[in-house]
Amino acid sequence: GKAVGSGLGYGALWWVLGPLTLMPMMMGMGSIGSMWNMTAASAQMPSLVGHLIFGAILGFTFFKLGGRTARV
């Protein structure tokens, strides 16, 4: 549960950093934070879903593979 929750947080963090911050900045659409509004966020909802799914799978996989390591 914790691993999947952490993965969801990781996915949400990259959603804010990627489509709402870095991508518009690099495309010349404004400065940092110019896309931090409800209109831009609602347009990026499909991207949020994808980032959350990726994060959940990443957290689950990290948890499963972490149990395989030998503790010395």
Side-chain angles (χ1 to χ4, degrees):
K2 275 187 183 180
V4 173
S6 296
L8 289 171
Y10 183 76
L13 172 73
W14 276 108
W15 177 69
V16 171
L17 288 176
L20 295 182
T21 306
L22 296 174
M23 189 176 69
M25 195 172 72
M26 290 181 175
M27 294 176 69
M29 299 168 69
S31 61
I32 293 177
S34 63
M35 298 295 284
W36 294 348
N37 56 49
M38 290 305 290
T39 305
S42 64
Q44 294 295 330
M45 280 299 151
S47 177
L48 173 61
V49 172
H51 280 84
L52 292 178
I53 291 170
F54 169 76
I57 292 171
L58 181 69
F60 179 76
T61 304
F62 183 78
F63 172 74
K64 284 296 188 181
L65 292 177
R68 294 179 182 223
T69 59
R71 304 205 188 262
V72 178

